[in-house]
Amino acid sequence: QVQLVESGGGSVQPGGSLRLSCTASGSIFSIYAMAWYRRAPGKQRELVAGIMSGGRKNYADSVKGRFTISTDYAKTTVYLQMNSLKPEDTAVYYCNADLQIGTTGRSNYWGQGTQVTVSS
């Protein structure tokens, strides 16, 4: 059993910054990738940023240059540093982990989500 817990969401003014954290707990055998997704009201869920175990990162075009994803594998934690926030960044942000639990195989796991609101 795996639990992903996000933290760091909140309200911020345009141009401000937030840092999201997601920590995975459980009998994690290996981590293949971790990522952040977001979903705004009336919109489809979208990938914001992802990082693979080899260190390669990818970002949505809308956040390139503003957001940075990083990991601390020893702590099974992924971070999302969000700078120069815009109102269109307002969404519920979800942590996702592609990992193997014990020796049972590879699967995806989701956190409960954390609200980010950017407004004046």
Side-chain angles (χ1 to χ4, degrees):
Q1 183 173 332
V2 172
Q3 290 185 332
L4 275 62
V5 180
E6 301 103 331
S7 63
S11 297
V12 67
Q13 297 183 39
S17 298
L18 287 172
R19 190 190 192 209
L20 305 183
S21 299
C22 172
T23 299
S25 62
S27 301
I28 301 172
F29 181 77
S30 61
I31 300 173
Y32 296 96
M34 301 190 79
W36 289 95
Y37 290 77
R38 67 186 181 188
R39 185 176 184 177
K43 298 179 66 177
Q44 298 289 336
R45 184 189 68 188
E46 64 175 342
L47 175 67
V48 178
I51 182 168
M52 283 143 278
S53 59
R56 185 160 63 92
K57 304 174 182 179
N58 65 284
Y59 298 92
D61 288 341
S62 60
V63 307
K64 286 181 179 178
R66 299 189 298 120
F67 291 10
T68 303
I69 188 170
S70 62
T71 57
D72 184 339
Y73 285 108
K75 298 180 180 179
T76 62
T77 298
V78 62
Y79 305 93
L80 185 67
Q81 178 66 47
M82 304 184 294
N83 298 326
S84 301
L85 283 162
K86 304 175 180 179
E88 52 263 43
D89 295 319
T90 296
V92 177
Y93 284 70
Y94 297 91
C95 176
N96 175 265
D98 180 11
L99 49 80
Q100 181 173 328
I101 305 301
T103 58
T104 59
R106 180 176 175 176
S107 189
N108 283 296
Y109 300 87
W110 292 91
Q112 80 286 352
T114 184
Q115 177 71 47
V116 172
T117 302
V118 185
S119 63
S120 298

